[in-house]
Amino acid sequence: MPDWRPVRRVLTLGEVTLAAAASVAGYWELYRAQRDLFLNGVPPHNPYAFPRLDSNFLTALEALDRYWVATTGVLVVFGYAVVRSRSSGWRRMAWFPLGLGAVGLLVALPARPGLSIDALSYLSHGWIAAAPGGNPYLTASAEVGSTPYGQLLFAEGWLPVHGVSPYGALWTHVERLAFAISGGDIGRGLLALKVVVVLAVGVSTLLIWLIARQVRPGWELTAALAFSWSPLVVVEFAMEGHNDAVAIAFTLLGLWAAVTNRAFWAVLGLGLGALTKITPAVFAVPVLILLVRRRAGWSSLVGRLAAGVGVAAALAWLLYRRFWAASATLDGLRAGSVPYPSWSPAGWLGAWFGAPMEGAPDYRPGLVLAAVLIMVVAVVSWQRTTRGLMVACGSIAVAAMALTPAYWPWYAALPVAVLAARSTWVAMAQVLVLTIGSRIAAPYGDLFVIGVVPFERAMQLSTLWGVDVPVALCLLMAVGSVVVRKLRADGSDAHGDGTPTPTITPRRR
């Protein structure tokens, strides 16, 4: 009998290589289409005009057609890779698809933004933070537009529309360091930021692998590929450089520490995540409940929790010391709690409350959304197993995205990461749905900037495809999986032919 294993390995290598090559071709065309959209009308005669007055609609529509074709291609390859990763050939050579994914992320490092101005606004924060006495929590990003550095940002497609920083002090120091390293060069500054972001993606991939090993052994490769090969991750992190990647890495550190009963690292991971962006704080309750329910002893658990809280608090004090301005430090965060007009739950709630009195920011919708999210957290958090924790955190992550006051496509990355680590076919289907929704919603930001679609309409359509449809499908799949498990559990009490198992009553002696 001939040994076909070497042949199978060669075929697997070829299959993975072809999939990676198809992805590279798709991402190259996707990047070109995104840049053509993003730079339409740049440099503008008036950078403060919004939307841009110098845009070419026909060029934009042609680039949009190319975007849809390329996006479809990379999504098909992604779905194929996730399904094939369950095969024994791919799992035996897990290092190869994961290694190619890592190389792809590194190759994308020099890419410039094509869907969002956020990375350029990070540099504006860094410029403010590096100035003597500068504070991005008090000085709006838009004010950099009146400086020579702002002119360099304008040439890259930046818009002076952002206010004070809503981010945690950890990320503010990263912004400051990136600007200092760049020496005023935009390309070097973006590269410095994206090195941090791509490193965070690599750490997240490793942590998803480790969590999957604890939750469902044998699914490590599928879980890791569902995150690292996702077009959402490749585009929004490796190409666009969003700081959500760093918050996700710390969140996954906290979840991995929780499932392995490391209370100190669970607290520190979530604390550092919250010092990047506030979102990881929503996982504190389920993590704490799991740690309490699995405790070996109260004194040991309390000691580790106290140590974690103490270190996180000390780091927060050190990081905020340079920028702390009392309650004004949180102005950017408060401003982000006001919903945009959209077709998301936040948009509907804002419309229901109506216009605020005298033009003041209306925080009532944000408070209601926060209350709903707190109720979701309270309902799903009472878990005592590692799988239960990941189910709860997946539900919370999707709910947090659905209830966010303003949706942007990269917000789907957190639920994608948590669901990937959950490691079930239902979770993988939910990852695919969220990824597709984010890619449909992604170009609307460029389209309203260049005047193809009005702002309100762009927000409506992006939330329809990015929030409403994928969240509804995720909910249907979750309910369907519960029903199927219930039916299987009921069927386990019967023979394979469906005949009920007879009850045997022992005779009295």
Side-chain angles (χ1 to χ4, degrees):
M1 177 71 75
D3 185 2
W4 295 102
R5 285 177 296 179
V7 176
R8 293 193 187 99
R9 281 195 288 269
V10 171
L11 290 175
T12 300
L13 285 171
E15 181 186 13
V16 176
T17 303
L18 284 174
S23 284
V24 169
Y27 282 121
W28 172 244
E29 182 57 31
L30 183 59
Y31 175 66
R32 292 176 60 226
Q34 290 173 175
R35 288 290 286 174
D36 287 346
L37 279 171
F38 190 74
L39 296 178
N40 196 329
V42 175
H45 291 100
N46 179 10
Y48 291 91
F50 188 78
R52 291 193 190 119
L53 302 177
D54 309 302
S55 304
N56 186 312
F57 284 16
L58 293 178
T59 302
L61 294 176
E62 186 271 336
L64 186 62
D65 288 340
R66 288 160 42 217
Y67 172 89
W68 295 128
V69 172
T71 295
T72 301
V74 297
L75 284 170
V76 168
V77 174
F78 170 60
Y80 176 84
V82 170
V83 172
R84 289 293 295 151
S85 67
R86 296 298 306 138
S87 69
S88 58
W90 280 57
R91 282 187 288 164
R92 278 196 298 267
M93 305 183 69
W95 58 271
F96 190 58
L98 289 176
L100 288 180
V103 170
L105 294 172
L106 293 174
V107 169
L109 274 175
R112 300 291 181 94
L115 291 172
S116 167
I117 64 170
D118 276 22
L120 298 169
S121 290
Y122 299 157
L123 291 179
S124 73
H125 295 156
W127 182 90
I128 296 170
N135 189 341
Y137 296 107
L138 298 177
T139 303
S141 165
E143 294 187 25
V144 180
S146 60
T147 69
Y149 189 69
Q151 300 304 309
L152 298 177
L153 293 173
F154 286 143
E156 292 290 334
W158 181 65
L159 294 167
V161 295
H162 287 151
V164 295
S165 176
Y167 307 122
L170 176 59
W171 183 251
T172 299
H173 283 279
V174 172
E175 294 169 329
R176 183 185 183 190
L177 180 61
F179 174 79
I181 291 173
S182 72
D185 182 273
I186 302 298
R188 282 203 299 268
L190 289 171
L191 185 61
L193 287 171
K194 289 172 66 178
V195 165
V196 176
V197 169
V198 170
L199 178 62
V201 172
V203 171
S204 295
T205 303
L206 174 61
L207 288 167
I208 288 172
W209 176 287
L210 295 175
I211 294 171
R213 177 174 289 179
Q214 295 289 326
V215 174
R216 200 172 185 192
W219 278 71
E220 295 92 339
L221 176 61
T222 304
L225 280 186
F227 180 76
S228 62
W229 275 46
S230 170
L232 166 60
V233 171
V234 174
V235 173
E236 301 295 355
F237 294 158
M239 291 184 184
E240 298 293 314
H242 289 289
N243 61 3
D244 296 63
V246 179
I248 289 170
F250 285 126
T251 299
L252 292 170
L253 172 62
L255 296 183
W256 169 77
V259 300
T260 55
N261 207 29
R262 292 172 167 88
F264 172 82
W265 291 104
V267 173
L268 189 58
L270 295 181
L272 291 172
L275 287 171
T276 305
K277 292 189 78 170
I278 194 62
T279 313
V282 299
F283 301 108
V285 172
V287 165
L288 177 62
I289 289 175
L290 181 70
L291 292 172
V292 169
R293 287 193 160 192
R294 298 175 61 184
R295 69 189 182 279
W298 276 109
S299 59
S300 174
L301 176 62
V302 171
R304 287 179 291 161
L305 290 175
V309 171
V311 172
L315 288 173
W317 182 81
L318 288 172
L319 292 169
Y320 272 108
R321 185 181 180 187
R322 161 74 169 76
F323 304 109
W324 187 254
S327 64
T329 313
L330 305 178
D331 282 351
L333 197 58
R334 281 191 289 266
S337 67
V338 178
Y340 284 179
S342 68
W343 286 340
S344 70
W348 295 326
L349 188 62
W352 183 77
F353 272 106
M357 296 295 291
E358 300 179 359
D362 191 351
Y363 298 114
R364 292 174 300 169
L367 293 173
V368 173
L369 294 168
V372 173
L373 182 58
I374 290 171
M375 286 190 290
V376 171
V377 171
V379 168
V380 304
S381 292
W382 300 93
Q383 305 291 335
R384 62 173 66 246
T385 66
T386 55
R387 290 190 182 183
L389 174 69
M390 298 313 298
V391 170
C393 290
S395 303
I396 292 169
V398 173
M401 187 196 78
L403 297 171
T404 185
Y407 167 81
W408 299 104
W410 51 93
Y411 288 6
L414 178 60
V416 161
V418 177
L419 289 169
R422 184 179 163 188
S423 306
T424 65
W425 276 122
V426 172
M428 296 306 149
Q430 291 169 328
V431 165
L432 184 59
V433 164
L434 289 168
T435 300
I436 292 173
S438 73
R439 296 308 85 210
I440 296 175
Y444 284 107
D446 284 346
L447 294 178
F448 78 70
V449 166
I450 59 183
V452 175
V453 179
F455 174 77
E456 205 166 300
R457 187 62 171 171
M459 292 297 99
Q460 291 169 346
L461 293 174
S462 65
T463 51
L464 171 66
W465 296 111
V467 177
D468 300 334
V469 173
V471 169
L473 291 175
C474 285
L475 181 60
L476 285 174
M477 285 186 278
V479 172
S481 68
V482 171
V483 172
V484 169
R485 284 200 302 271
K486 176 65 174 173
L487 293 175
R488 287 178 177 174
D490 292 343
S492 66
D493 295 330
H495 291 298
D497 60 359
T499 304
T501 304
T503 300
I504 301 175
T505 306
R507 295 181 180 177
R508 293 181 181 272
R509 290 180 181 265

